[in-house]
Amino acid sequence: MYKILKKEDLSEQITLFDIEAGDIARKARAGNFFILRTHEQGERIPLTIADFDSGRGTITTVFQKVGKTTNHLGTFNEGDFLTDVIGPLGNHSHIENFGRVVCVGGGVGIAPVYPIARALKEAGNKVTSIIGARSKSILFWEEKMRGVSDDLIVTTDDGSYGTKALVTVPLEEIMMNEKVDLVVAIGPAIMMKFVCKTTEKYNVKTVVSLNSIMIDATGMCGGCRVEIGGETKYTCVDGPEFDGHQVDFDLLMKRLQAYIPEEHTARCGGKGNGGK
Ligand code: NAD
């Protein structure tokens, strides 16, 4: 059983948990994820490790209440216990001094990009971060991102804060003016697709972290398969990070839609396995 030590609502739909999970915290590296179950019959959901503290033995995660399980998870409070927490999973980010790096976090994707930006900064890179949200009320971790970046650009789709733009607008402006060695982008698939379309024009290596539907997360079920450069790869064991210019984003987005009717049934009290 894994205790929730801290709960913070970052917005109406976005929640942060610090979870007591010493073994995972000691081994976690930027880019890893973990799987949790809220109860014995619950579905397994993958969540990115947004931060970790090996001294305290905690991992931090930020999740959006979108489906039955994440809504159920949102009802947990400090002091409550999660049934299973397994990790760290997936390959960690490749960190070295690339030189000039731009980290792009869109929406909830700001949380997983944070430890990567921090690790890249610690490795000596010049890091510019771009964080974007639909609106000011759902933007989070501005100060945390500023703390691990040489420069921070904030965008909102509706112009309620920062620059009124999608994250790709300042990204393109940077690339038009200077040489960038690496872009790391995490957010909705459509954002990562358009980040990659932008960086392709300037031939800048782009790493994305994919959020495909996952079940066992050990490479056995094939549920998280994605197409990378025409080859089938499993996000859980081959990723979650891939060369963005090789990703078939249209297929990923199609597969992300595959269970929408079942998710709707589960949310409306049907027999989805995410509830009690
Ligand atoms: P969102 O729809 O609010 O979009 C966030 C930002 O992405 C926008 O503000 C905008 O700047 C940018 N964006 C969106 N569409 C774009 C486009 N067509 N072109 C350029 N930029 C665009 O994001 P959300 O509701 O927070 O969605 C979060 C998504 O991120 C979910 O799908 C979730 O599964 C995913 N996610 C992925 C990971 C991961 O590890 N890959 C981790 C957490 C969340």
Side-chain angles (χ1 to χ4, degrees), residues 14 31-33 46-49 62-64 66 104-113 130-135 138-140 155-158 165-170 185-195 198 208-212 235 240-241 252 256:
I14 303 171
N32 286 139
F33 66 95
L47 293 172
T48 320
I49 299 175
V62 172
F63 61 95
Q64 196 172 21
V66 280
V104 184
V108 191
I110 295 168
V113 101
I130 304 172
I131 56 171
R134 267 169 280 141
S135 190
I138 51 173
L139 180 80
F140 61 91
T155 65
T156 50
D157 301 11
D158 64 2
L166 300 176
V167 288
T168 39
V169 174
I186 310 184
I190 187 78
M191 180 206 92
M192 294 190 283
K193 173 180 169 170
F194 281 98
V195 163
T198 308
V208 294
S209 177
L210 302 184
N211 57 325
S212 47
T235 304
E241 293 180 2
L252 172 68
L256 284 171

Side-chain angles (χ1 to χ4, degrees), residues 135-183:
S135 190
K136 184 183 180 194
S137 62
I138 51 173
L139 180 80
F140 61 91
W141 281 15
E142 179 185 354
E143 288 317 311
K144 260 176 95 96
M145 285 300 295
R146 200 181 299 284
V148 296
S149 312
D150 292 282
D151 304 296
L152 178 75
I153 298 165
V154 183
T155 65
T156 50
D157 301 11
D158 64 2
S160 53
Y161 190 65
T163 307
K164 183 179 191 301
L166 300 176
V167 288
T168 39
V169 174
L171 176 64
E172 176 129 33
E173 278 166 12
I174 293 170
M175 286 189 304
M176 274 162 52
N177 290 311
E178 52 187 306
K179 184 181 167 291
V180 173
D181 299 296
L182 176 75
V183 171

Side-chain angles (χ1 to χ4, degrees), residues 245-264:
H245 296 152
Q246 301 292 318
V247 175
D248 185 337
F249 282 106
D250 294 334
L251 182 64
L252 172 68
M253 287 188 277
K254 210 169 142 195
R255 288 182 56 84
L256 284 171
Q257 308 281 317
Y259 297 104
I260 284 185
E262 285 82 358
E263 283 172 17
H264 180 75

Side-chain angles (χ1 to χ4, degrees), residues 188-219:
I190 187 78
M191 180 206 92
M192 294 190 283
K193 173 180 169 170
F194 281 98
V195 163
C196 292
K197 275 188 180 292
T198 308
T199 57
E200 230 166 14
K201 287 190 276 178
Y202 299 88
N203 203 18
V204 176
K205 183 177 157 68
T206 304
V207 172
V208 294
S209 177
L210 302 184
N211 57 325
S212 47
I213 292 168
M214 217 174 264
I215 304 168
D216 70 87
T218 60

